[in-house]
Amino acid sequence: MKYKRIKEYILIGATLFASGLNFQSCQDLDIPPMNIIQDEEVFGTEEGIMSYMARLYSQMLIEDFRYSPDQGFNHFWLRMPLSTISGESLSLTAGQAIMEVGCWTEAYKLIRDVNYFMETLPEYTSLYEDIYIENLMGEARFIRAWTYYQLAKRYGGVPIVDKVINYPQVSIEDSQLPRNSEEETWDFISEDLDYAIRYMGETSVSGRGNRYVAAGLKSRAMLYAGSIAKYNSTILFDDKTRARLCGISADKATDYFTQSVEAAKLLESKYSLYMSGWKADDKESQYENYVNLYFDESSPENILVKTYKYPESAHGYDAYCVPRQFVGPSGYSCRNCPTVEFVEMFDGIEKDENGQLKTLDENGNYILFNSTMEYFENAEPRLRGAVILPGDYFGGESIEVRRGIYIGSVEGGIPSLLPPGWTSVYPSENIVSTPTPSSEQIPYQLPDGSYMNPCGLSGNFNAGSDPNAGFFARKYLVQTYPLENHSDQTWIEMRYAEILLNRAEAAYELHLAGETGSNYLQDAFECINLIRNRAGADMLNTPADLTSIEVIQRERRKELAFENKTYWDLKRWRIIDREQRSTTYRILNPFYAAHAGKYFLDVRTDERNVRYTFDTRWYYQQIPVEEIQKNSNIVQNPGY
């Protein structure tokens, strides 16, 4: 007899060919090779099946701790978190906006593995109960939908491959598939997820999907598709097939938004917001609740997670992102420093008539504070849970962030340190600072005889080099001195707060479209207030307070910050090119006024003068050139 084999990709790898597809390069033999695992060994036992399924999950394209836009998925270094190209934060490595590295090849390898699983498993149905097979087939559809979602949000329409293409049984010409339309691609994702929701079970082990995880993905994916239908203006047709490769007809938006709302509703009562220790009107408990949300693996909010366990599997998020005073042996730190623009989104901070941080009084002099934290004492607790503010406590230490010590006169007030025309560095007069990163700080003697390091333990040691924005991302950080690639906290890829935000946004879009089948405005209002209540933010009084889609977008950006969601939101809303139009983000520089014994806060543009400009071509990424060279039926995206 001829032996069926689980293809070479298990032990000896597969060859990428044609449109990003894997092809078998050996012929079947009557005697099975010793280094090839037989199908019977995998699909003939539950252990073998679970091993195969575990490998599929391990290959899922998840933008987690090991993802960065310059390196792609599962990379060792994380010196450029995705948030550093979205305007949420700054990093020394992220010097400007960049085009994110794509995922075409990895995605189609996984799609082939999933298709092989789906084609082979039915041959062994007699060994298992029907419900077991149905659940596995639904799980495979979920993984395939996830993978096509990652492709669609980057490239638009892509070749839909729903079966294994084996060479030479299938000719090279027949295997060179063209791109499907973008609408067909999103519809294919929806169909796979409908199947998964129908046949997957309700429970699963950590890190694996169930029908509600599939429903959560559908709410996310269909929201993305609806946004493309409504906001995208880029159109690309395939001259041969006439498929609309980029762009979706605007009249499809309501259908996609409706699918998003209905999918989100399936998770209602199955998951809930994390409220452990949370107390009404108690900012400290609300802050602690938000911090703990990202570390409590029993959280009812967690829907899909990716687990790590040192030393088998670890990441380096802490080593790269801690404040400088926690720097480990690797020497890295401060790779995720929130911008002033991000912090200004939060409630409870005094702002001027332009909605910006108010640091100057009516005379143009700096407002003085007893501590750097005094300015933020009324901020919504979620801000403290997401961002380490200057002077706040982390790891049992006060985070000292100063740009320097002001030693000039304070009589009559301290005028702006940046007179008109000064846009790069501070004038040296009346400021004691530390000029180079290699210099040790020289303590300065204050008028009361005590000594103070000019920049503190985590201050800006080198103006023009370190992007110390005055803040550090706190979300997910372990409060310790980290070692590179030793961290193993769990990544929460999907949580119930996102589902509520998906539902609110899609419902509000349906309200704007005049859809009357449900009270969409009320639904959006209730979802947003659930989020804001937990965050300790100002509550919306009535649905009328939802005055525009921007209210929901702003809430989403605050809640999902540093979770690698904002960049994709800005892309699907088609607004990142407006936000990043030769944009230099602002930073916060705290100073200590020696003769006043108080602090003041100076807001200015990043001292490195780095400008971010998003090229509108990047709304659709470049398809790898080598894929087009191997398959002439693949049409490149516009502008490349």
Side-chain angles (χ1 to χ4, degrees):
M1 64 175 291
K2 290 208 172 190
Y3 289 86
K4 282 195 163 186
R5 298 167 299 171
I6 189 163
K7 309 303 179 187
E8 293 92 298
Y9 48 71
I10 291 183
L11 295 179
I12 61 174
T15 304
L16 186 68
F17 202 75
S19 56
L21 308 176
N22 294 321
F23 285 80
Q24 184 176 348
S25 59
C26 302
Q27 296 180 351
D28 289 337
L29 301 175
D30 290 331
I31 300 176
M34 294 301 294
N35 65 339
I36 299 296
I37 298 176
Q38 308 304 307
D39 281 349
E40 291 85 350
E41 297 177 58
V42 175
F43 296 96
T45 67
E46 290 190 20
E47 292 79 7
I49 290 174
M50 289 301 100
S51 178
Y52 193 113
M53 185 62 69
R55 196 179 79 258
L56 294 181
Y57 275 104
S58 72
Q59 297 176 61
M60 281 180 61
L61 305 178
I62 295 178
E63 292 132 356
D64 67 336
F65 294 122
R66 298 189 64 137
Y67 175 83
S68 60
D70 60 328
Q71 301 289 346
F73 296 91
N74 202 34
H75 198 270
F76 177 78
W77 286 333
L78 184 70
R79 293 180 294 175
M80 187 190 295
L82 191 57
S83 55
T84 62
I85 66 170
S86 66
E88 296 169 89
S89 59
L90 301 176
S91 171
L92 176 62
T93 314
Q96 61 182 0
I98 66 168
M99 182 180 70
E100 180 249 357
V101 172
C103 65
W104 186 284
T105 301
E106 294 177 71
Y108 276 106
K109 287 180 180 179
L110 178 54
I111 287 169
R112 188 186 193 282
D113 286 4
V114 173
N115 286 339
Y116 186 81
F117 180 88
M118 294 171 61
E119 289 183 15
T120 308
L121 181 62
E123 299 179 20
Y124 297 85
T125 55
S126 62
L127 301 177
Y128 309 102
E129 294 183 3
D130 291 344
I131 192 171
Y132 180 71
I133 297 296
E134 290 174 351
N135 182 67
L136 288 170
M137 294 293 282
E139 208 165 352
R141 291 280 191 108
F142 161 72
I143 296 173
R144 188 170 69 179
W146 183 282
T147 310
Y148 272 107
Y149 163 71
Q150 294 290 3
L151 286 167
K153 72 180 185 180
R154 288 172 167 84
Y155 305 108
V158 296
I160 294 176
V161 186
D162 59 359
K163 59 184 179 181
V164 177
I165 300 177
N166 286 322
Y167 177 79
Q169 292 92 327
V170 176
S171 68
I172 293 178
E173 291 76 16
D174 290 339
S175 68
Q176 292 183 329
L177 302 178
R179 294 171 64 182
N180 288 76
S181 70
E182 181 163 9
E183 181 177 327
E184 289 172 331
T185 304
W186 289 110
D187 288 346
F188 183 73
I189 294 169
S190 177
E191 292 166 5
D192 263 359
L193 291 172
D194 284 342
Y195 184 99
I197 293 168
R198 179 179 179 183
Y199 289 108
M200 289 177 73
E202 294 193 6
T203 59
S204 69
V205 298
S206 177
R208 287 181 58 183
N210 60 32
R211 67 179 51 166
Y212 301 115
V213 177
L217 176 58
K218 186 173 183 183
S219 79
R220 180 192 289 183
M222 294 302 98
L223 180 62
Y224 204 108
S227 299
I228 297 301
K230 180 172 182 179
Y231 297 110
N232 174 63
S233 61
T234 302
I235 299 175
L236 173 67
F237 284 95
D238 187 324
D239 291 336
K240 294 180 181 179
T241 66
R242 298 310 299 162
R244 189 170 177 172
L245 307 179
C246 295
I248 303 172
S249 176
D251 59 14
K252 283 282 293 182
T254 55
D255 174 53
Y256 288 130
F257 288 137
T258 301
Q259 290 188 59
S260 179
V261 169
E262 295 305 313
K265 288 181 179 179
L266 294 178
L267 286 83
E268 194 171 14
S269 78
K270 304 298 180 182
Y271 299 90
S272 62
L273 295 179
Y274 182 78
M275 304 285 282
S276 178
W278 185 96
K279 299 177 183 177
D281 301 321
D282 184 349
K283 288 182 177 293
E284 191 66 23
S285 72
Q286 294 168 2
Y287 148 71
E288 291 175 354
N289 171 79
Y290 200 77
V291 169
N292 294 337
L293 158 64
Y294 297 92
F295 296 96
D296 190 342
E297 296 190 6
S298 66
S299 169
E301 188 166 342
N302 293 353
I303 299 173
L304 180 66
V305 301
K306 182 176 179 181
T307 58
Y308 286 87
K309 184 179 180 181
Y310 178 82
E312 294 87 356
S313 177
H315 57 83
Y317 184 77
D318 301 290
Y320 293 114
C321 298
V322 290
R324 182 180 295 276
Q325 66 195 74
F326 285 85
V327 64
S330 66
Y332 295 112
S333 65
C334 312
R335 259 53 179 187
N336 205 1
C337 299
T339 62
V340 167
E341 283 82 355
F342 170 72
V343 172
E344 285 172 341
M345 295 182 185
F346 289 81
D347 299 337
I349 305 172
E350 189 173 5
K351 304 184 181 91
D352 61 22
E353 63 277 7
N354 298 315
Q356 298 180 343
L357 300 187
K358 185 177 181 180
T359 59
L360 301 174
D361 62 22
E362 60 277 4
N363 297 317
N365 295 323
Y366 289 107
I367 301 171
L368 299 179
F369 302 98
N370 293 317
S371 70
T372 50
M373 278 296 290
E374 184 179 352
Y375 179 74
F376 301 98
E377 62 185 3
N378 294 318
E380 61 179 88
R382 176 173 50 182
L383 173 60
R384 279 188 69 204
V387 175
I388 300 177
L389 304 171
D392 205 353
Y393 276 83
F394 177 85
E397 300 182 18
S398 175
I399 304 304
E400 294 184 355
V401 182
R402 289 187 291 274
R403 180 61 180 81
I405 300 174
Y406 178 77
I407 59 175
S409 172
V410 298
E411 294 294 328
I414 305 173
S416 173
L417 296 178
L418 287 173
W422 287 88
T423 59
S424 180
V425 296
Y426 289 97
S428 58
E429 184 179 3
N430 294 327
I431 295 177
V432 177
S433 189
T434 305
T436 64
S438 60
S439 298
E440 292 185 3
Q441 293 193 68
I442 301 175
Y444 178 80
Q445 187 173 16
L446 300 173
D448 65 1
S450 63
Y451 288 86
M452 174 182 283
N453 284 336
C455 295
L457 297 175
S458 290
N460 193 325
F461 290 79
N462 182 18
S465 175
D466 295 333
N468 193 332
F471 309 103
F472 306 94
R474 183 181 196 120
K475 189 179 290 188
Y476 279 121
L477 277 188
V478 174
Q479 301 187 44
T480 185
Y481 288 83
L483 297 174
E484 191 174 17
N485 210 36
H486 276 59
S487 298
D488 61 1
Q489 61 265 47
T490 294
W491 173 263
I492 307 172
E493 172 55 29
M494 186 186 298
R495 57 191 180 92
Y496 191 57
E498 182 203 341
I499 304 304
L500 290 172
L501 290 164
N502 294 346
R503 179 173 170 177
E505 183 181 341
Y508 192 79
E509 291 284 15
L510 291 169
H511 162 71
L512 293 178
E515 295 296 309
T516 58
S518 178
N519 193 341
Y520 290 117
L521 181 60
Q522 179 68 26
D523 195 25
F525 164 74
E526 291 176 0
C527 289
I528 292 298
N529 260 355
L530 284 172
I531 298 290
R532 294 178 71 81
N533 179 58
R534 194 266 297 275
D538 298 336
M539 299 291 284
L540 303 179
N541 295 315
T542 69
D545 289 337
L546 285 175
T547 55
S548 68
I549 191 66
E550 285 77 15
V551 175
I552 295 175
Q553 291 174 347
R554 185 187 187 97
E555 195 63 35
R556 187 179 180 93
R557 294 174 73 165
K558 290 194 295 181
E559 178 65 27
L560 301 180
F562 317 120
E563 297 182 37
N564 294 346
K565 306 292 190 297
T566 298
Y567 175 73
W568 299 106
D569 287 337
L570 296 177
K571 288 185 71 174
R572 66 180 173 86
W573 295 329
R574 296 305 195 243
I575 64 173
I576 191 171
D577 66 299
R578 299 201 303 271
E579 291 197 8
Q580 296 185 351
R581 189 172 294 174
S582 192
T583 299
T584 301
Y585 289 103
R586 289 175 296 138
I587 63 177
L588 182 76
N589 282 331
F591 283 86
Y592 183 74
H595 293 286
K598 294 181 181 292
Y599 292 86
F600 62 88
L601 306 175
D602 184 72
V603 176
R604 53 150 306 141
T605 55
D606 180 4
E607 294 183 61
R608 300 171 304 157
N609 200 32
V610 173
R611 297 184 181 276
Y612 287 69
T613 297
F614 184 89
D615 191 326
T616 54
R617 293 181 304 164
W618 299 347
Y619 281 129
Y620 289 101
Q621 290 185 198
Q622 182 180 23
I623 296 173
V625 175
E626 58 269 22
E627 301 301 331
I628 297 177
Q629 292 173 340
K630 290 183 288 189
N631 181 358
S632 60
N633 289 325
I634 296 292
V635 177
Q636 183 61 275
N637 276 329
Y640 298 105

